[in-house]
Amino acid sequence: MNLSSWYKKSAPLFTAKESKSILHDFFVYGKEGLTINPYNGCHHRCGYCYATYEWSPEFYDRIYAKINATDLLYKQIRSWKKNIINPVMIASATDAYQPAELKYSLTRKCVEVLQEFEIPYYVFTKSSLIERDLELHKRYSNNCFVVWSITTNNEKIKRVIEPGTPPSKSVFRVIEKFCKSGIKCVINIDPILPLITDSAEDISSILDTANDIGVEYVSGAILRLRYDIWERMKYILQTLKIDNSIKFYEKIFKFKDPIINLKINLNAEREYSVSIMKFLEWELEKRCMKFGYPKLNIKKISSSSFIKNKKNMVSLVDFMK
Ligand code: SF4
């Protein structure tokens, strides 16, 4: 993906398409789970996005809506063979509440199916559009939570690093409503960008706002670099006019600019990472907040390999197997 494709001001196009499956296993850093991505591509144009690979050159410009998502979900759940169903992450490679959701409502429909089968789930979003579904998540608040990715409270920086996202203020306004409704909320400060969003003031500002509105859980992680992410990060560092930033990145990520076709992610050096994560830990302790995510109950399936929904109804999908 080239740089101009990322930093366009125009809105992406929407395209409906049929998909082959919707519920996928993931295994990251020793953690396993399931994920649903109702869309391919993302409106939010985050420069640091890990989901932008060369096989998705239109990632920011064309949003593919998987219009058969709910049919697939019914089929996959009804033919489930294992005796547990792990909590489902919505979504791992897109924002499930980006503007396309207003047109297609695929996320809403998938959540309704998960609730119908009493499957735990958690939603990742940077969007205030999730407010539309507050009542939906509220009725399942004993076994779901929402993770809000907030990288900065500084609007000038936000417009450069993730130009398609709504302002933090409007997102926090919605988070407050979710907290008041009893839905567990997590603030995910991820990625923390060296020299851009890693200052004590930046991180404390997010924690203070979160604490004031009743958020209990916070998570966070430092940026990982890949060659295409580095090209966008260079553009961001130049736009923000941060002195000696390229040298600093070379030092803490241990590479020489340019990174050529490196497919793995580079982690920041230990000393830097420990100092930032320790700071986050202390600041959370001071505010009596917790690091990490709430626990969800794993769905256990007894004897039969055929999983029934709450109403135990026969649906059209039963005849399609
Ligand atoms: S919201 Fe997530 S998926 Fe979308 S561009 Fe930003 S980082 Fe990528």
Side-chain angles (χ1 to χ4, degrees):
M1 176 189 300
N2 63 31
L3 212 53
S4 58
S5 161
W6 161 53
Y7 218 73
K8 259 190 221 159
K9 300 273 187 235
S10 54
L13 300 170
F14 298 159
T15 303
K17 71 159 192 183
E18 297 258 333
S19 197
K20 288 193 179 124
S21 64
I22 189 74
L23 191 58
H24 296 279
D25 290 308
F26 73 80
F27 195 78
V28 184
Y29 295 125
K31 286 194 180 136
E32 61 176 326
L34 291 161
T35 184
I36 286 175
N37 286 286
Y39 303 97
N40 276 349
C42 189
H43 189 111
H44 288 153
R45 294 187 186 273
C46 307
Y48 49 75
C49 181
Y50 302 127
T52 56
Y53 283 93
E54 63 271 24
W55 40 259
S56 56
E58 300 177 302
F59 185 80
Y60 300 114
D61 294 323
R62 188 177 293 274
I63 310 301
Y64 289 97
K66 302 174 185 173
I67 42 155
N68 57 340
T70 41
D71 288 348
L72 289 171
L73 192 53
Y74 267 115
K75 266 192 191 171
Q76 286 186 262
I77 294 174
R78 285 186 175 277
S79 57
W80 196 255
K81 294 285 181 280
K82 297 177 192 164
N83 56 3
I84 58 160
I85 299 188
N86 279 311
V88 176
M89 182 203 291
I90 312 165
S92 60
T94 185
D95 193 314
Y97 280 100
Q98 58 181 300
E101 173 63 11
L102 292 180
K103 179 172 165 77
Y104 297 102
S105 292
L106 296 174
T107 301
R108 182 181 177 89
K109 290 174 191 164
C110 287
V111 167
E112 283 169 345
V113 175
L114 295 176
Q115 290 188 359
E116 196 179 316
F117 287 92
E118 299 179 307
I119 295 171
Y121 66 86
Y122 51 109
V123 181
F124 270 83
T125 190
K126 286 185 165 79
S127 175
S128 49
L129 298 179
I130 190 175
E131 186 174 4
R132 182 200 65 183
D133 289 351
L134 188 148
E135 288 303 322
L136 175 71
H137 298 299
K138 186 179 164 185
R139 73 182 186 209
Y140 202 67
S141 58
N142 64 332
N143 216 7
C144 75
F145 61 84
V146 180
V147 185
W148 311 80
S149 303
I150 306 268
T151 50
T152 180
N153 266 348
N154 182 321
E155 277 313 308
K156 275 194 190 148
I157 289 178
K158 197 168 165 60
R159 285 312 115 221
V160 178
I161 63 175
E162 46 192 50
T165 57
S168 296
K169 260 191 188 166
S170 65
V171 180
F172 272 119
R173 186 184 52 75
V174 179
I175 300 173
E176 186 170 14
K177 288 187 183 176
F178 272 62
C179 287
K180 282 190 174 148
S181 299
I183 301 162
K184 290 179 232 33
C185 293
V186 182
I187 299 291
N188 190 27
I189 313 175
D190 184 9
I192 297 170
L193 304 175
L195 295 180
I196 302 173
T197 62
D198 63 345
S199 70
E201 295 73 35
D202 277 323
I203 295 172
S204 301
S205 164
I206 296 173
L207 297 182
D208 283 338
T209 320
N211 198 22
D212 285 350
I213 60 172
V215 173
E216 210 179 331
Y217 294 88
V218 174
S219 181
I222 292 154
L223 174 74
R224 286 169 290 131
L225 273 188
R226 204 176 54 209
Y227 72 99
D228 55 329
I229 298 172
W230 173 235
E231 289 308 306
R232 298 193 296 269
M233 285 307 301
K234 269 197 290 189
Y235 182 89
I236 287 172
L237 291 164
Q238 280 154 10
T239 306
L240 293 171
K241 299 190 172 60
I242 300 174
D243 291 340
N244 296 320
S245 53
I246 296 197
K247 281 210 162 61
F248 184 79
Y249 271 66
E250 285 181 330
K251 179 180 164 288
I252 64 162
F253 287 99
K254 299 194 187 335
F255 72 99
K256 268 273 162 234
D257 177 47
I259 304 176
I260 304 198
N261 276 348
L262 182 70
K263 305 265 166 158
I264 55 161
N265 291 318
L266 298 174
N267 291 314
E269 65 178 12
R270 196 177 148 71
E271 200 183 330
Y272 172 83
S273 305
V274 169
S275 72
I276 299 287
M277 296 315 284
K278 277 271 170 227
F279 174 77
L280 182 57
E281 207 181 304
W282 288 327
E283 293 299 309
L284 288 175
E285 242 177 72
K286 274 202 264 178
R287 293 167 178 83
C288 298
M289 297 168 93
K290 297 173 191 152
F291 186 86
Y293 296 164
K295 287 246 175 310
L296 295 173
N297 303 319
I298 290 171
K299 167 98 179 170
K300 292 196 175 109
I301 303 157
S302 55
S303 56
S304 164
S305 64
F306 182 81
I307 167 171
K308 292 184 172 58
N309 58 5
K310 264 201 293 198
K311 300 165 205 155
N312 202 10
M313 289 187 314
V314 175
S315 80
L316 268 182
V317 180
D318 298 331
F319 300 98
M320 291 160 61
K321 289 205 298 176

